[in-house]
Amino acid sequence: MAADQEIFLKAKNRTFSGYTEEEQCEWKEPFYFIQAADPQLGLMKAWSVGDCENGGDEWGQEVTLTQQAVQAVNKLTPRPKFMVLCGDLIHAMPGMQWRDEQERDLKDALRGVDPAIPLVFVSGNHDIGNTPTPETIAQYRRSWGDDYFSFWVGGVLFLVLNSQLFFDGSACPDQRAAHEAWLSEQLDSTKHRACRHTVVFQHIPIFLRSPEEDSDYFNLEKTFRLQLLERFHKAGVKAVFSGHYHRNAGGMHNGVDMVVTSAIGCQLGTDPHGLRLVVVTEEKVVHRYYSLDELSKTGMEKELRDLLG
């Protein structure tokens, strides 16, 4: 069982097993990865009955959708370098009923992913709480690995952030300060590290449509948002991939592509259940959202495949 759990715990000591700078610092060739978000086992039932606090007592639909996503990803050739899930892995908040069962069933579904495709996990508000505590973060780390870390693939630096510490870190000031110090160090280091691109993963979008939009539940507070965007711009961050919104959205600001990806699970808009394929070339990062049905039937489109060479 310990070895079985390792596929969920590759993020340790602020890096990711097999994808360290020493192993992956050199650019070799174009590659691609899968970005998905919000399987959120239990939300579909909770949303349907209008009780997001206590209504998530069934999650068979999300398990089926996650299994469909796994099957679609396993059929892709060539294999993606990794698959990242950008938060809200399950619906039950820390301390709520059904949490252990939802986590168990999600892990059972994800065990079907080809072992050659590492799984990267990002913490969301339902994973660590809207106002996380040291205890909820520790609980997450025991289940899914570090809540923030960096890793490298083919000369590209990836930063996994804990965006809940941006949203409300009031109950864990020490963790928030450590996260901020680590992020500053990572962003400052891009000036002298030979990374082809820098890409960020976090759960909460910096913005949904425009950096000037009002602050709400689905984005970061405006003053902080603009400061973070400026820091990312100065560090040469190419793209930020997120979830949380359960709809596709995003926009470009000062060279930073803010990508908001809809859910594997419950849809709050008109998008189909799906995930995103992201191709990384020497010059750019190109992405497209696929419905699970489309990806299962047709795979990667020729336009993206051609970018891989």
Side-chain angles (χ1 to χ4, degrees):
M1 180 58 71
D4 183 53
Q5 281 294 102
E6 280 300 306
I7 65 172
F8 304 113
L9 298 172
K10 288 182 176 290
K12 295 179 180 178
N13 302 314
R14 305 302 174 207
T15 189
F16 191 86
S17 177
Y19 281 166
T20 64
E21 183 174 5
E22 292 73 19
E23 295 166 302
Q24 291 282 335
C25 64
E26 293 185 10
W27 174 263
K28 293 183 179 179
E29 60 186 0
F31 64 89
Y32 80 103
F33 62 87
I34 305 296
Q35 187 236 348
D38 301 276
Q40 202 161 344
L41 273 62
L43 178 58
M44 293 178 76
K45 171 65 181 300
W47 192 262
S48 71
V49 301
D51 185 359
C52 285
E53 293 293 324
N54 302 297
D57 60 339
E58 297 176 7
W59 48 89
Q61 294 179 89
E62 289 96 340
V63 168
T64 298
L65 289 163
T66 302
Q67 291 170 336
Q68 184 181 357
V70 166
Q71 291 164 6
V73 169
N74 284 346
K75 289 166 63 177
L76 293 169
T77 54
R79 288 281 187 260
K81 289 293 186 180
F82 61 90
M83 178 177 178
V84 57
L85 279 80
C86 283
D88 279 4
L89 306 174
I90 57 177
H91 181 61
M93 291 277 193
M96 298 295 287
Q97 59 183 336
W98 309 309
R99 184 173 174 88
D100 290 345
E101 293 85 353
Q102 289 174 2
E103 180 181 308
R104 176 201 64 207
D105 290 350
L106 177 61
K107 285 184 172 180
D108 283 348
L110 292 175
R111 285 187 180 94
V113 175
D114 187 319
I117 305 172
L119 292 168
V120 178
F121 298 102
V122 181
S123 61
N125 56 304
H126 280 263
D127 305 312
I128 60 175
N130 286 320
T131 303
T133 67
E135 292 74 23
T136 64
I137 292 173
Q139 181 185 47
Y140 173 87
R141 294 182 66 184
R142 287 192 295 270
S143 294
W144 305 102
D146 281 359
D147 57 312
Y148 62 93
F149 56 96
S150 64
F151 66 98
W152 290 71
V153 177
V156 177
L157 172 62
F158 294 92
L159 303 178
V160 173
L161 308 186
N162 182 342
S163 58
Q164 215 57 39
L165 297 175
F166 296 150
F167 193 83
D168 184 2
S170 60
C172 51
D174 291 345
Q175 286 78 5
R176 178 175 58 187
H179 180 262
E180 171 57 32
W182 173 87
L183 177 58
S184 292
E185 180 182 356
Q186 294 292 316
L187 294 177
D188 289 345
S189 74
T190 61
K191 300 178 180 65
H192 58 79
R193 291 162 112 175
C195 44
R196 181 64 57 180
H197 306 295
T198 302
V199 174
V200 170
F201 300 121
Q202 59 186 60
H203 179 61
I204 301 176
I206 302 176
F207 63 86
L208 298 174
R209 304 288 181 186
S210 165
E212 299 299 328
E213 68 198 21
D214 292 339
S215 306
D216 66 20
Y217 172 80
F218 286 112
N219 60 21
L220 296 179
E221 188 275 327
K222 188 174 179 180
T223 300
F224 177 84
R225 171 201 312 161
L226 294 173
Q227 294 170 349
L228 187 63
L229 283 168
E230 181 61 20
R231 294 170 71 192
F232 284 176
H233 167 66
K234 287 182 177 179
V237 171
K238 193 74 142 188
V240 180
F241 291 90
S242 68
H244 190 51
Y245 192 45
H246 293 255
R247 287 153 282 200
N248 288 309
M252 186 74 70
H253 177 72
N254 217 5
V256 179
D257 189 6
M258 179 64 248
V259 185
V260 185
T261 295
S262 196
I264 288 178
C266 187
Q267 299 297 316
L268 302 185
T270 60
D271 294 298
H273 306 282
L275 42 73
R276 193 173 297 274
L277 269 64
V278 186
V279 175
V280 182
T281 74
E282 227 175 338
E283 297 80 25
K284 56 189 177 181
V285 177
V286 182
H287 51 88
R288 189 198 151 193
Y289 186 82
Y290 287 81
S291 74
L292 297 182
D293 288 340
E294 179 186 10
L295 190 63
S296 298
K297 292 175 183 175
T298 65
M300 184 189 301
E301 65 184 84
K302 184 178 184 301
E303 181 179 356
L304 290 183
R305 187 181 297 277
D306 286 348
L307 292 173
L308 295 174

